[in-house]
Amino acid sequence: MDLNILWFILVAVLFIGFFILEGFDYGVGILLPIMGKTDTERRVVINTVGPVWDGNEVWVLTAGGAIFAAFPHWYATLFSGFYLALFLMLVALIIRAVAFEYRSKAEDPKWRAWWDRGIVFGSLIPAILWGVALGNMLRGVPIDADMHYVGTFFDLLNPYAIIGGLTSLSMFLLHGAIFLNLKTSGELSERALHLTRRIGPVTTVMVAIFIVSTYLMTDSFSRLGVNPGPIPIASLGALFAAAYFVHIGRLGWAFLMTSVNIGLSVITIFMALFPRVMVSSLDPAWSLTIYNASSSPKTLTIMSIVALIFIPIVLAYQTWTYWVFRHRISIESELTY
């Protein structure tokens, strides 16, 4: 296989893993004040993701490193053009990480309340901005012939990108609500199920709007790229399947379906982009592709060997982590602890 295509696929796979795993992290963080009415309940909610949230973020770090090494021009244009948005996301993620670590350092309710707000803020902002970023990559941003972003921060706040941000937010909220149902018990589990049933229809509508908007507001399915065919429809169908499994009380299958929905959504976006990685709204000929934005063949070859060795190790370790922390968490266990 062409190594440029291989690394484009690998970057897509890394983002699929990141959005599936970190997606429920974001959802849990945003739902924290709704799910947790008392300090003990909030501790339970936080501890559902406590052992895994930082490991989940490794996926996006790896994806960023892969883009930097395999497609340096993509990395340079993306990070310079989206600088303010990515800086805001980084600040939010730092606040979130610090909040997870420092929340329990003091018994003062005000102390914990402020760190809880930090968790909500640090989960909400990335959940929106990832959708905004992907939306802009699909729709196109001002990129000149030298691969330089020549727009402003406000160029990124267009209707299509905002729809993308609201869609990613709703998807992660649903994913997180179902995860909380699986990881908690008693009243908390029932509360998560109630939230799941309220969020599900909103998410389905937002995904449908995003699909229609992609057809109407981008050139993804009419010009360059690969026609995704039934994949966007299958993504929407996965949400209907999730609703069915929620209705019959099979939340494990519902979580699998929201994971499928997220995965197929990312596949749709990358297939719609291919062979581009960023679309120029000034001139389609100035778009960045997997060829004009890539590293040398030698670099891609070395990276492929390294990836072949280390990715299975990372996958094995993370699988083991999830297996160790697979049990439900209850209020009683937190009080005992």
Side-chain angles (χ1 to χ4, degrees):
M1 178 184 290
D2 186 324
L3 288 180
N4 299 71
I5 298 177
L6 174 64
W7 275 96
F8 181 79
I9 294 173
L10 287 177
V11 169
V13 169
L14 289 170
F15 274 110
I16 290 171
F18 171 68
F19 287 131
I20 290 175
L21 297 177
E22 191 71 0
F24 68 74
D25 278 3
Y26 291 152
V28 169
I30 298 168
L31 294 172
L32 175 63
I34 303 173
M35 281 289 299
K37 305 301 182 183
T38 66
D39 180 68
T40 302
E41 288 181 346
R42 288 189 288 274
R43 280 171 53 194
V44 172
V45 172
I46 292 171
N47 287 345
T48 61
V49 297
V52 297
W53 69 268
D54 47 354
N56 293 341
E57 290 189 345
V58 170
W59 286 79
V60 75
L61 297 176
T62 306
I67 294 173
F68 173 78
F71 304 104
H73 295 296
W74 180 12
Y75 183 92
T77 303
L78 177 67
F79 278 77
S80 61
F82 293 15
Y83 180 81
L84 287 178
L86 292 174
F87 179 78
L88 176 60
M89 185 186 297
L90 180 61
V91 169
L93 291 174
I94 291 173
I95 292 174
R96 179 172 176 262
V98 173
F100 275 129
E101 297 296 333
Y102 277 81
R103 182 189 186 275
S104 297
K105 298 299 183 182
E107 298 290 339
D108 184 5
K110 292 184 179 179
W111 168 274
R112 294 189 171 185
W114 276 108
W115 288 124
D116 287 345
R117 295 186 187 102
I119 292 173
V120 175
F121 174 80
S123 303
L124 176 65
I125 297 303
I128 296 173
L129 289 183
W130 278 116
V132 171
L134 291 174
N136 277 298
M137 288 170 59
L138 267 179
R139 175 182 176 272
V141 291
I143 299 174
D144 65 17
D146 297 319
M147 301 185 185
H148 295 155
Y149 179 84
V150 293
T152 67
F153 172 77
F154 296 101
D155 289 323
L156 304 178
L157 302 179
N158 54 80
Y160 178 72
I162 292 174
I163 291 172
L166 294 176
T167 302
S168 62
L169 173 62
S170 64
M171 291 167 66
F172 294 155
L173 282 172
L174 178 61
H175 201 43
I178 296 176
F179 176 81
L180 283 169
N181 183 273
L182 293 173
K183 287 293 292 181
T184 59
S185 59
E187 185 179 348
L188 281 177
S189 183
E190 290 298 321
R191 198 175 296 162
L193 181 59
H194 175 69
L195 286 171
T196 298
R197 288 170 173 162
R198 295 182 63 181
I199 297 169
V202 176
T203 303
T204 304
V205 171
M206 286 306 308
V207 170
I209 291 174
F210 182 73
I211 292 173
V212 173
S213 299
T214 301
Y215 275 92
L216 297 178
M217 304 174 71
T218 76
D219 67 355
S220 301
F221 305 110
S222 60
R223 297 186 63 259
L224 298 175
V226 177
N227 190 334
I231 293 179
I233 306 303
S235 172
L236 189 60
L239 285 178
F240 286 106
Y244 169 74
F245 286 121
V246 169
H247 178 71
I248 65 174
R250 303 293 296 274
L251 274 297
W253 282 98
F255 185 77
L256 177 62
M257 288 299 101
T258 55
S259 299
V260 169
N261 166 248
I262 293 172
L264 292 179
S265 297
V266 177
I267 291 173
T268 298
I269 290 172
F270 273 80
M271 290 185 70
L273 275 172
F274 183 82
R276 305 168 297 181
V277 291
M278 290 188 73
V279 178
S280 172
S281 60
L282 301 180
D283 188 334
W286 295 344
S287 297
L288 276 66
T289 71
I290 61 173
Y291 298 107
N292 65 15
S294 73
S295 295
S296 67
K298 182 177 181 179
T299 300
L300 295 178
T301 301
I302 295 173
M303 287 177 59
S304 300
I305 296 172
V306 172
L308 185 64
I309 296 172
F310 287 102
I311 287 181
I313 297 174
V314 174
L315 289 175
Y317 173 76
Q318 192 152 34
T319 301
W320 175 79
T321 302
Y322 274 90
W323 176 255
V324 170
F325 295 102
R326 67 189 182 278
H327 302 292
R328 288 179 182 264
I329 303 175
S330 66
I331 294 176
E332 290 73 19
S333 65
E334 287 299 305
L335 290 173
T336 302
Y337 177 78

